[in-house]
Amino acid sequence: GMLEADEAFFAKHGEPLFSSHMLDLSEEPDVENIEICQKYLKRMAPMKLILEMEMGITGGVEDGVDNSGVSKEKLYSTPEDIFAVYEGLQPISERFMIAAAFGNVHGVYKAGNVKLRPELLSEFQTYAEEKTGVKMPYFFVFHGGSGSEKHEIATALG
């Protein structure tokens, strides 16, 4: 796949083809998602590549996966979910971003049917700061936040 191409190009030219790779393993159990991301990040770290990973379920339908019927609480990551990602990946490399679930939904939806909570991203940072002593240790992807107001995005940024 793409990572193999990156490794081959890097071996020959001393630089990667790409600056990052995204893994969407959000349909997998969290532990398995993190374990697979660890394997990829170990291969990516020598090339100084960034890994984007998704944690939590995105509602709606994408790529044949239908999450339109999941319970609403499944659409929100928890501070513990995101900290588990940090604990699993940070010892390997700091070059990773997390697309945390904050009510994100793929596709078009009627107003009022989805409750985006981008402020959760700020709450996750605070949780991790208290655990690690590091200010804003996470790099987040604002994934599926269309429709968020400017003040909500500012809150998410801390």
Side-chain angles (χ1 to χ4, degrees):
M2 300 302 287
L3 186 53
E4 289 81 9
D6 237 338
E7 289 169 325
F9 191 88
F10 186 83
K12 188 172 185 179
H13 301 284
E15 62 183 7
L17 282 168
F18 305 99
S19 59
S20 66
H21 291 282
M22 190 275 272
L23 287 177
D24 181 356
L25 301 171
S26 57
E27 293 298 317
E28 305 303 328
D30 292 350
V31 171
E32 187 175 341
N33 183 348
I34 294 168
E35 288 173 352
I36 294 170
C37 286
Q38 287 172 321
K39 291 175 185 172
Y40 275 80
L41 192 57
K42 285 176 185 173
R43 292 172 59 192
M44 294 168 68
M47 297 180 282
K48 297 185 173 26
L49 295 175
I50 298 166
L51 170 69
E52 176 188 332
M53 65 88 65
E54 294 191 22
M55 179 56 80
I57 293 175
T58 301
V61 180
E62 182 186 50
D63 298 332
V65 177
D66 185 352
N67 286 328
S68 57
V70 300
S71 62
K72 291 192 190 279
E73 64 270 3
K74 296 278 189 191
L75 298 175
Y76 303 96
S77 296
T78 67
E80 295 82 10
D81 296 336
I82 303 308
F83 194 68
V85 173
Y86 180 83
E87 288 184 307
L89 300 183
Q90 198 278 336
I92 299 167
S93 172
E94 294 179 350
R95 295 176 179 266
F96 64 93
M97 300 183 295
I98 306 167
F102 57 92
N104 332 49
V105 174
H106 289 296
V108 180
Y109 48 87
K110 292 171 79 175
N113 283 359
V114 174
K115 174 63 177 142
L116 293 175
R117 297 194 51 219
E119 72 276 5
L120 288 175
L121 303 180
S122 179
E123 293 173 18
F124 298 159
Q125 291 283 20
T126 300
Y127 180 88
E129 285 175 19
E130 291 170 0
K131 292 275 195 188
T132 66
V134 176
K135 180 128 177 88
M136 296 184 73
Y138 300 140
F139 296 102
F140 284 122
V141 177
F142 201 77
H143 179 82
S146 300
S148 296
E149 300 288 333
K150 187 175 181 179
H151 72 277
E152 293 173 318
I153 296 169
T155 300
L157 294 174

